[in-house]
Amino acid sequence: MTVTIVGSQLGDEGKGGVVDLYGDAADVVARYQGGDNAGHTVVHGGEKYKLSLVPSGAVRGKVGVLGNGCVVNPRTLFDEIETLREKGLDPDVRVAERAHVILPFHRVLDGIEEDVKSEDDQEVGTTGRGIGPTYEDKAGRRGVRVGDLLDPDVLRARLEYVVPQKRTLVEDVYGADVSDLENPDAFDVDALFEEFREIGQRLDEQDMTVNASAFLTDAMADDETVMFEGAQGTVIDIDHGNYPYVTSSNPTAGGAAVGTGLSPNVIADGEIIGIVKAYLTRVGSGPLPTELGGVEGDTPGYDEQGDGENEELATYIREEGGEYGTVTGRPRRVGWLDMPMLRHSARVNGFTGLAINHIDVLAGLEEVKVGHSYELDGEELLAMPPTTEEWGDCEANLKSFEGWDDVDWSAVADEGYEAIPENARSYLEYVADELEADIYAVGVGPGREETVVVENPYE
Ligand code: IMP
């Protein structure tokens, strides 16, 4: 039995906490997409761990696997492992030989392309980690895979093919001079070869590379319990999100099969848990029909649809929820919960259960709203439309709920679901009914102890 954790919104739903909670019963926690653009915060033993690449299960001694669908920046990988070791942990992380490597020029290109797009206000607001350019090279069949790092001849040949192309791209398309860049070595075959050959040796010596498909299959054959940890969220999925304001991978449940090398039957035999934040936040550009507000100047795409009148409320929720990007520190745009988005997400992923987080953040508000449906060209829509332009034209039909008081949430977590204030329960049950999925957990604070567990998927 496997459990797949999927972000149902725009990322930052609090997946780390749920992985941490349910992952307790897992032996192996595998990521299937994305790279060090993710931000997982795990609180363990009073210590806060911020991870962007290593699966968060590593904090609790689980075997972490970065599947073939991931893009791996080895510098981040080793930095995070080192940080965990400094805190007295002994992380066991395996990396798929089929995963692609984020090379230094990918980050540079991510930055250049965002700068160029920003001249016409078209920037995606990426995390700048080189994610898109690395997946581009994967699809373009010119990428470098983790397995290539283990064979110096292959590595050299791959670099000799791809690096001159990138140089030409920077100089002839973007009109920049590579030698003027902050990191000209990012475009130097010899420098890259030396650094990444050594990384390959290190991965090999530490026995870190695996055939993820075989490794996970063997683990399950040995009765080990596996969890799939999705990063980002459904609405920034390259296929099912609001293109082009998306990441370049598939955070949706199907990605768990493709990105690990396991059959879709394995994923479907298990549970697929949708993580929902009780309101909405977004760190990059793009529409947001239920938007309350962003931070002018700091937030790409700020207040594109909101009227700005709710700025105070947005600020209140942002501060209460600590809504600043884990990777970039950027203030997040804030909106009400968006049901058409969640209905789309439930359909794409097939959630068997829901974990709804952060209901404590909304406590104390007199009224809590949700976008129940959209109005587009005089028609009511229950699910978000496929084009981002149409989505940008949608107006949310808001539904109002009576607010709930701030209570002792730790006590609520101890006592269980019935201890949740009644108005909050009405809110939760509305969401579960609309999505036709059961509530498995309710997050009432940042620590994993501050979770009301209704259902443990592994039991
Ligand atoms: P990229 O993944 O860095 O290419 O960024 C593409 C889009 O996905 C941007 O809007 C980012 O803000 C967003 N994004 C990437 N990773 C995360 C995440 O972990 N949480 C929320 N948004 C993310």
Coordinates of all heavy atoms in Angstrom, one line a residue, residues 40-74:
H40 N 10.0 22.6 1.7 CA 9.3 21.8 2.7 C 9.8 22.2 4.1 O 11.0 22.3 4.3 CB 9.7 20.3 2.6 CG 9.3 19.7 1.3 ND1 8.0 19.3 1.0 CD2 9.9 19.5 0.1 CE1 7.9 18.9 -0.2 NE2 9.1 19.0 -0.8
T41 N 8.9 22.6 5.0 CA 9.3 22.9 6.3 C 8.9 21.8 7.2 O 7.7 21.5 7.3 CB 8.7 24.3 6.8 OG1 9.0 25.2 5.7 CG2 9.3 24.7 8.1
V42 N 9.8 21.2 8.0 CA 9.4 20.2 8.9 C 9.9 20.6 10.3 O 11.0 21.0 10.5 CB 10.1 18.8 8.5 CG1 9.8 17.7 9.5 CG2 9.7 18.4 7.1
V43 N 9.0 20.5 11.2 CA 9.4 20.8 12.6 C 9.5 19.5 13.4 O 8.6 18.7 13.4 CB 8.3 21.7 13.3 CG1 8.7 22.1 14.7 CG2 8.0 22.9 12.5
H44 N 10.7 19.3 13.9 CA 11.0 18.0 14.6 C 11.8 18.2 15.8 O 12.9 18.8 15.7 CB 11.7 17.0 13.6 CG 12.1 15.7 14.2 ND1 11.3 15.0 15.0 CD2 13.2 15.0 14.0 CE1 11.9 13.9 15.3 NE2 13.1 13.9 14.8
G45 N 11.3 17.8 16.9 CA 12.1 17.9 18.2 C 12.4 19.4 18.5 O 13.5 19.7 18.9
G46 N 11.5 20.3 18.2 CA 11.7 21.7 18.5 C 12.6 22.4 17.4 O 12.8 23.6 17.4
E47 N 13.1 21.6 16.5 CA 14.0 22.2 15.5 C 13.2 22.3 14.2 O 12.4 21.4 13.8 CB 15.2 21.2 15.3 CG 16.2 21.6 14.4 CD 17.4 22.3 15.1 OE1 18.0 21.7 16.1 OE2 17.7 23.4 14.7
K48 N 13.5 23.4 13.5 CA 12.8 23.6 12.2 C 13.7 23.3 11.1 O 14.9 23.8 11.0 CB 12.4 25.1 12.1 CG 11.1 25.4 11.3 CD 10.8 26.8 11.4 CE 9.3 27.1 11.1 NZ 9.0 28.5 11.1
Y49 N 13.3 22.4 10.2 CA 14.2 22.0 9.0 C 13.5 22.5 7.8 O 12.4 22.3 7.5 CB 14.3 20.5 8.9 CG 14.9 19.8 10.1 CD1 14.2 19.5 11.3 CD2 16.3 19.6 10.1 CE1 14.8 18.9 12.4 CE2 16.9 19.0 11.2 CZ 16.2 18.7 12.3 OH 16.8 18.1 13.4
K50 N 14.3 23.2 7.0 CA 13.8 23.7 5.7 C 14.6 23.0 4.6 O 15.8 23.1 4.5 CB 14.1 25.2 5.6 CG 13.1 26.0 6.5 CD 13.1 27.5 6.2 CE 12.2 28.2 7.1 NZ 11.3 29.1 6.6
L51 N 13.9 22.2 3.9 CA 14.5 21.4 2.8 C 13.9 21.8 1.5 O 12.7 22.1 1.4 CB 14.3 19.9 3.0 CG 14.9 19.4 4.3 CD1 14.4 18.0 4.6 CD2 16.4 19.3 4.2
S52 N 14.7 21.8 0.4 CA 14.2 22.1 -0.9 C 14.3 21.0 -1.8 O 13.7 21.0 -2.9 CB 14.8 23.4 -1.4 OG 16.2 23.2 -1.6
L53 N 15.2 20.0 -1.5 CA 15.4 18.9 -2.5 C 15.3 17.6 -1.8 O 14.5 16.7 -2.3 CB 16.8 19.1 -3.1 CG 17.2 18.0 -4.1 CD1 16.2 17.9 -5.3 CD2 18.6 18.2 -4.6
V54 N 16.0 17.4 -0.7 CA 15.9 16.1 0.0 C 14.5 15.8 0.5 O 13.9 16.7 1.1 CB 16.9 16.2 1.2 CG1 16.7 15.0 2.1 CG2 18.4 16.2 0.7
P55 N 14.0 14.6 0.2 CA 12.6 14.3 0.7 C 12.5 14.6 2.2 O 13.5 14.2 3.0 CB 12.4 12.9 0.4 CG 13.4 12.6 -0.7 CD 14.6 13.5 -0.5
S56 N 11.4 15.2 2.7 CA 11.4 15.6 4.1 C 11.4 14.4 5.1 O 11.7 14.6 6.2 CB 10.2 16.6 4.3 OG 9.1 16.2 3.6
G57 N 11.1 13.2 4.6 CA 11.1 12.0 5.4 C 12.6 11.8 6.0 O 12.7 11.1 7.0
A58 N 13.6 12.4 5.3 CA 15.0 12.2 5.8 C 15.2 12.7 7.2 O 16.0 12.1 7.9 CB 15.9 12.9 4.8
V59 N 14.4 13.7 7.6 CA 14.5 14.2 8.9 C 14.2 13.1 10.0 O 14.7 13.1 11.1 CB 13.6 15.4 9.1 CG1 13.5 15.9 10.5 CG2 14.0 16.5 8.1
R60 N 13.3 12.2 9.6 CA 12.9 11.1 10.6 C 13.5 9.8 10.3 O 13.0 8.8 10.6 CB 11.4 11.0 10.6 CG 10.8 12.2 11.3 CD 9.3 12.0 11.4 NE 8.8 13.3 11.7 CZ 8.8 13.8 12.9 NH1 9.2 13.2 14.0 NH2 8.3 15.0 13.1
G61 N 14.7 9.8 9.6 CA 15.4 8.6 9.3 C 14.8 7.7 8.3 O 15.1 6.5 8.2
K62 N 13.9 8.2 7.4 CA 13.4 7.4 6.3 C 14.4 7.4 5.2 O 15.1 8.4 5.0 CB 12.1 8.0 5.8 CG 11.1 8.4 6.8 CD 10.6 7.1 7.6 CE 9.8 7.5 8.8 NZ 9.4 6.4 9.6
V63 N 14.4 6.4 4.4 CA 15.2 6.4 3.2 C 14.5 7.4 2.2 O 13.3 7.3 1.9 CB 15.2 5.0 2.5 CG1 16.1 5.0 1.2 CG2 15.8 4.0 3.5
G64 N 15.3 8.3 1.7 CA 14.7 9.3 0.7 C 15.2 8.9 -0.7 O 16.3 8.6 -0.9
V65 N 14.2 9.0 -1.6 CA 14.6 8.7 -3.0 C 14.2 9.9 -3.9 O 13.1 10.4 -3.7 CB 13.8 7.4 -3.5 CG1 14.1 7.2 -5.0 CG2 14.2 6.2 -2.7
L66 N 15.1 10.3 -4.7 CA 14.7 11.3 -5.7 C 14.5 10.5 -7.0 O 15.5 10.0 -7.6 CB 15.9 12.3 -5.9 CG 16.1 13.2 -4.6 CD1 17.3 14.0 -4.7 CD2 14.9 14.1 -4.4
G67 N 13.3 10.5 -7.5 CA 12.9 9.6 -8.6 C 13.4 10.2 -9.9 O 13.9 11.3 -10.0
N68 N 13.3 9.4 -11.0 CA 13.7 9.8 -12.3 C 13.0 11.1 -12.8 O 13.5 11.8 -13.7 CB 13.5 8.7 -13.3 CG 12.0 8.2 -13.3 OD1 11.6 7.4 -12.5 ND2 11.2 8.7 -14.2
G69 N 11.8 11.4 -12.3 CA 11.1 12.6 -12.7 C 11.7 13.9 -12.1 O 11.2 15.0 -12.4
C70 N 12.6 13.7 -11.2 CA 13.2 14.9 -10.5 C 14.3 15.5 -11.3 O 14.9 14.8 -12.2 CB 13.7 14.5 -9.2 SG 12.5 14.0 -8.0
V71 N 14.6 16.7 -11.1 CA 15.8 17.4 -11.6 C 16.7 17.7 -10.4 O 16.2 18.3 -9.4 CB 15.5 18.6 -12.4 CG1 15.0 18.2 -13.8 CG2 14.5 19.6 -11.8
V72 N 17.9 17.3 -10.4 CA 18.7 17.3 -9.2 C 19.9 18.3 -9.3 O 20.7 18.2 -10.2 CB 19.3 15.9 -8.9 CG1 20.2 15.9 -7.7 CG2 18.1 14.9 -8.8
N73 N 20.0 19.2 -8.4 CA 21.1 20.1 -8.3 C 22.0 19.5 -7.3 O 21.7 19.5 -6.1 CB 20.7 21.5 -7.9 CG 21.9 22.4 -7.9 OD1 23.1 22.0 -7.7 ND2 21.7 23.7 -8.2
P74 N 23.2 18.8 -7.7 CA 24.0 18.1 -6.7 C 24.5 19.0 -5.6 O 24.8 18.6 -4.5 CB 25.1 17.5 -7.6 CG 24.6 17.6 -9.0 CD 23.7 18.7 -9.1

